[in-house]
């Protein structure tokens, strides 16, 4: 998979991309992630990428030309399956969207900033708009990292043990059951007997029971959907 990101502050994404599972996935050649500085595509000598909003009001708006230039320039190199704008008014991201995007070949992300991007960029270029939840961040970069991380870890070979992926919270519509490792007793608390029994069927049943219980208590919305599926 190839992922390109357009950002007004590309350097804020670097550390995470260089030191996380995303770095390992890149080293393994499972994915190539390139972050581009919007300023490099500015058209004027001051390399201006934002401007005041028409009609007044606070905040700045990302100008259309640098973004349009960047998208058109990158699109000459490859055809993007989706051009995704990260914005609090987008569709709320979830595991099903991550699963679908993990099957794509080329993705281009645009991280919003300030008050947002000129509406015409959205009309002309954007094929998908994603939010990572109902709260406001200072920029789309963290949201882009969240979405990219969730996608890349699903690509075969990106994560060490691929069987672990199917056991993730949400992958079956339920929250994950508790997990334990050694020692058997820690500060008086014991690892459930069943997990030490070697009885695979009993372990599977216990995990499902715990997952159902936790989901019912914490996320009645997910629990309802699980029962209806
Ligand atoms: Cl995608 N961007 C910003 N700025 N804030 C957000 C968001 C995105 N998703 C939730 N909050």
């Amino acid at each position: 998979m190839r992922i390109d990101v357009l950002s007004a502050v590309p350097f804020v994404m670097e550390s995470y991309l260089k030191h996380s599972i995303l770095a390992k996935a890149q080293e393994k050649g499972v994915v190539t992630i390139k972050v581009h500085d919007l300023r490099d595509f500015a058209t004027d000598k001051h390399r201006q990428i934002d401007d005041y909003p028409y009609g007044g009001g606070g905040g700045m708006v990302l100008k259309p030309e640098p973004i349009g230039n960047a998208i058109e320039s990158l699109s000459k190199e490859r055809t993007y399956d989706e051009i995704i704008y990260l914005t609090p008014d987008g569709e709320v991201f979830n595991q099903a969207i991550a699963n679908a995007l993990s099957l794509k070949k080329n993705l281009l992300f645009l991280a919003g900033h300030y008050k947002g991007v000129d509406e015409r960029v959205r009309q002309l270029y954007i094929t998908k708009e994603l939010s990572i939840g109902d709260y406001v961040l200072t920029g789309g970069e963290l949201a882009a990292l969240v979405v990219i991380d969730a996608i890349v870890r699903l690509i075969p070979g990106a994560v060490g043990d691929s069987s672990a992926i199917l056991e993730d919270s949400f992958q079956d519509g339920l929250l994950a059951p508790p997990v334990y490792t050694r020692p058997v007793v820690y500060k008086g608390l014991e690892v459930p007997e069943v997990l030490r029994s070697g009885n695979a069927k009993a372990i599977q049943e216990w995990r499902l029971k715990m997952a159902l219980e936790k989901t019912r208590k914490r996320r009645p919305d997910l629990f309802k959907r699980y029962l209806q599926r």
Side-chain angles (χ1 to χ4, degrees):
M1 178 183 284
R2 162 87 186 201
I3 295 176
D4 290 278
V5 186
L6 291 173
S7 167
V9 284
F11 40 89
V12 308
M13 302 182 70
E14 265 165 33
S15 159
Y16 193 80
L17 291 173
K18 284 207 176 81
H19 300 283
S20 62
I21 199 150
L22 294 178
K24 294 227 174 60
Q26 290 186 83
E27 282 161 26
K28 289 185 190 170
V30 164
V31 64
T32 304
I33 307 174
K34 288 267 173 342
V35 186
H36 308 269
D37 190 340
L38 268 181
R39 235 170 256 286
D40 292 343
F41 299 91
T43 46
D44 65 313
K45 67 170 190 286
H46 298 110
R47 306 216 303 157
Q48 192 184 342
I49 55 167
D50 60 351
D51 208 337
Y52 295 99
Y54 271 113
M60 299 293 273
V61 175
L62 286 173
K63 289 165 64 61
E65 302 96 321
I67 298 171
N69 290 344
I71 292 174
E72 285 178 25
S73 160
L74 289 168
S75 297
K76 285 194 184 115
E77 307 290 320
R78 62 195 68 79
T79 303
Y80 290 99
D81 298 297
E82 299 280 9
I83 300 181
I84 302 166
Y85 175 44
L86 285 313
T87 176
D89 60 358
E91 178 184 3
V92 180
F93 184 63
N94 60 24
Q95 191 64 51
I97 299 173
N99 291 349
L101 290 176
S102 75
L103 303 173
K104 306 292 187 186
K105 194 160 176 286
N106 299 310
L107 297 175
L108 177 53
F109 289 88
L110 170 62
H113 232 254
Y114 316 110
K115 220 181 164 62
V117 304
D118 187 288
E119 185 66 18
R120 291 163 294 186
V121 164
R122 300 168 76 156
Q123 293 176 317
L124 289 168
Y125 299 109
I126 301 301
T127 62
K128 201 178 217 17
E129 302 192 329
L130 295 178
S131 160
I132 61 163
D134 293 341
Y135 41 81
V136 178
L137 304 169
T138 54
E141 285 75 17
L142 279 173
L145 285 173
V146 165
V147 171
I148 291 167
D149 188 292
I151 293 169
V152 169
R153 62 187 299 287
L154 297 172
I155 303 173
V159 172
D161 179 3
S162 58
S163 73
I165 288 177
L166 292 176
E167 292 161 12
D168 285 344
S169 274
F170 303 111
Q171 211 47 279
D172 58 3
L174 293 173
L175 302 181
V179 293
Y180 296 86
T181 186
R182 289 184 290 185
V184 170
V185 181
Y186 176 67
K187 302 205 172 175
L189 300 175
E190 199 171 322
V191 176
E193 165 76 38
V194 59
L195 295 180
R196 295 177 279 137
S197 68
N199 182 340
K201 186 161 172 284
I203 291 170
Q204 201 188 348
E205 283 168 3
W206 181 87
R207 285 183 171 151
L208 177 61
K209 182 174 148 241
M210 298 304 280
L212 286 166
E213 221 164 89
K214 190 193 274 189
T215 307
R216 181 178 59 77
K217 280 200 195 120
R218 294 187 179 185
R219 294 293 303 275
D221 56 321
L222 291 182
F223 188 67
K224 201 169 146 213
R225 211 180 312 159
Y226 178 83
L227 294 180
Q228 288 166 349
R229 105 217 119 106

